[in-house]
Amino acid sequence: MIHTGWLLPLLVPFLVAPAGGRLASNLPPRQAMWLLTATAAGLAAASTCALALLIVPGATHLHAVAALGHLLTPLSSGSPETAIAIGVAAGALLTWCTARLVRGARRRWTQLRHVGKLAAEADGELVVLPDEHPDAYALPGSPGRIVVTTGMLRALSAPEREVLIAHERAHLRERHHLFTAVVDLAGLCHPALRSLREPLAYALERSADEAAALAVGSRPLAARAIGRAALATRASSAAGRTRPGAALSATAGPVPRRVAALLGHGTETGRTRPLARRAAACALMACLALSAGASLQAADDLHDGIEVAQGELPGR
């Protein structure tokens, strides 16, 4: 009853790490963040469904389950010991993943409520903190707020401050914290999906970089502002300083890569970039399609097996 294809949704997520990194570097940022998030959510759902389906054949060897499903015979055509062992292992993994997902969702909800309260207490979109440590970040909420310290304001010129604020405003407008939440929760469902966090974070920052450059009308200015803000933050001691959970910042991630991208100093040539884009996108979509198809096929096999066990269809 249990076929090798049933395990594909559990194995496919291990293939996404190389494709995810290439995708974030070669696809336009907005497209990359949407595709990475959709892939993480889809693969997490498929792997969770696969674990649930693997429980069923072994569970039908229990008299209570067989009676509940009106089954004349167990679903597994192999040895009962193997089916039960697979069912127990799958059940343990599903319970563990579910517990982690619930805890992660509660933690994320608590963080969002906390930053939402902080944002609600502020007057106006921009909040200036009297702090010598240069820092700036976006607090999601309804509405969100942009927090900037006096140290950061002194480290930048007036046009550079405009870039920084436009960057953080893009984080809030495009609700980037929701993309981060989806991928973080997907990583709790399958450990291999944690590899998508870094490329997603890069895509989100690049999307905000592009929005800031468009807002000020100068890519060199945007690159200079982001580079100077990151240098100012790293040059100042940050001991004992923490940002609120779910905060997004222009100084996060691989700033040199982002600055190079803004200035058009990418490593790929104009001829190879379209090919790299298509290859990375196709690889991720192929992983998603393979995992979803295997899950649907497993569900169909299980449905047929239940009908056979109930005597409604002749055995195969």
Side-chain angles (χ1 to χ4, degrees):
M1 179 64 195
I2 298 176
H3 307 297
T4 306
W6 289 35
L7 301 177
L8 278 177
L10 302 176
L11 300 177
V12 169
F14 291 102
L15 304 177
V16 302
R22 294 292 295 174
L23 186 81
S25 300
N26 294 289
L27 208 65
R30 285 182 60 84
Q31 295 179 25
M33 71 186 195
W34 277 103
L35 186 52
L36 287 168
T37 304
T39 299
L43 293 181
S47 64
T48 303
C49 289
L51 286 176
L53 293 174
L54 286 170
I55 296 173
V56 179
T60 59
H61 286 272
L62 301 176
H63 294 299
V65 175
L68 183 64
H70 305 289
L71 305 180
L72 301 178
T73 60
L75 296 185
S76 178
S77 57
S79 66
E81 293 78 9
T82 301
I84 292 173
I86 292 175
V88 170
L93 284 173
L94 184 60
T95 301
W96 178 65
C97 291
T98 301
R100 294 185 63 200
L101 183 61
V102 170
R103 287 197 301 268
R106 291 181 61 184
R107 181 169 59 250
R108 177 68 61 167
W109 177 249
T110 301
Q111 289 177 347
L112 291 177
R113 287 186 61 188
H114 176 64
V115 299
K117 290 179 180 179
L118 292 177
E121 293 171 357
D123 294 328
E125 179 191 40
L126 182 64
V127 179
V128 179
L129 297 181
D131 190 341
E132 293 301 316
H133 170 63
D135 200 6
Y137 48 87
L139 285 179
S142 298
R145 297 287 186 261
I146 299 169
V147 179
V148 183
T149 65
T150 52
M152 180 63 81
L153 293 178
R154 277 194 287 270
L156 304 178
S157 65
E160 292 167 347
R161 295 173 200 158
E162 185 179 351
V163 171
L164 189 67
I165 293 173
H167 178 104
E168 305 300 353
R169 185 176 289 129
H171 278 318
L172 297 177
R173 182 178 62 251
E174 298 177 10
R175 298 186 175 274
H176 287 169
H177 64 287
L178 297 180
F179 292 85
T180 302
V182 170
V183 174
D184 284 347
L185 294 178
L188 297 178
C189 296
H190 196 296
L193 295 177
R194 288 190 295 233
S195 64
L196 295 181
R197 291 176 179 173
E198 185 175 344
L200 175 70
Y202 176 74
L204 294 178
E205 293 303 328
R206 283 284 298 116
S207 177
D209 290 344
E210 293 294 334
L214 182 63
V216 299
S218 172
R219 298 178 70 83
L221 172 60
R224 184 173 70 249
I226 291 166
R228 290 191 62 182
L231 287 174
T233 301
R234 285 159 175 72
S236 177
S237 173
R241 302 176 188 272
T242 58
R243 293 176 182 142
L248 295 163
S249 174
T251 60
V255 174
R257 279 179 62 198
R258 292 165 48 202
V259 170
L262 279 171
L263 296 176
H265 297 161
T267 57
E268 294 86 356
T269 65
R271 179 173 297 179
T272 60
R273 186 182 292 271
L275 178 61
R277 288 176 179 176
R278 287 194 294 269
C282 288
L284 274 190
M285 289 188 289
C287 288
L288 186 56
L290 180 62
S291 185
S295 295
L296 292 174
Q297 183 61 52
D300 185 61
D301 291 343
L302 182 62
H303 177 265
D304 289 347
I306 291 175
E307 290 191 333
V308 170
Q310 289 176 334
E312 297 179 5
L313 289 177
R316 292 183 176 181

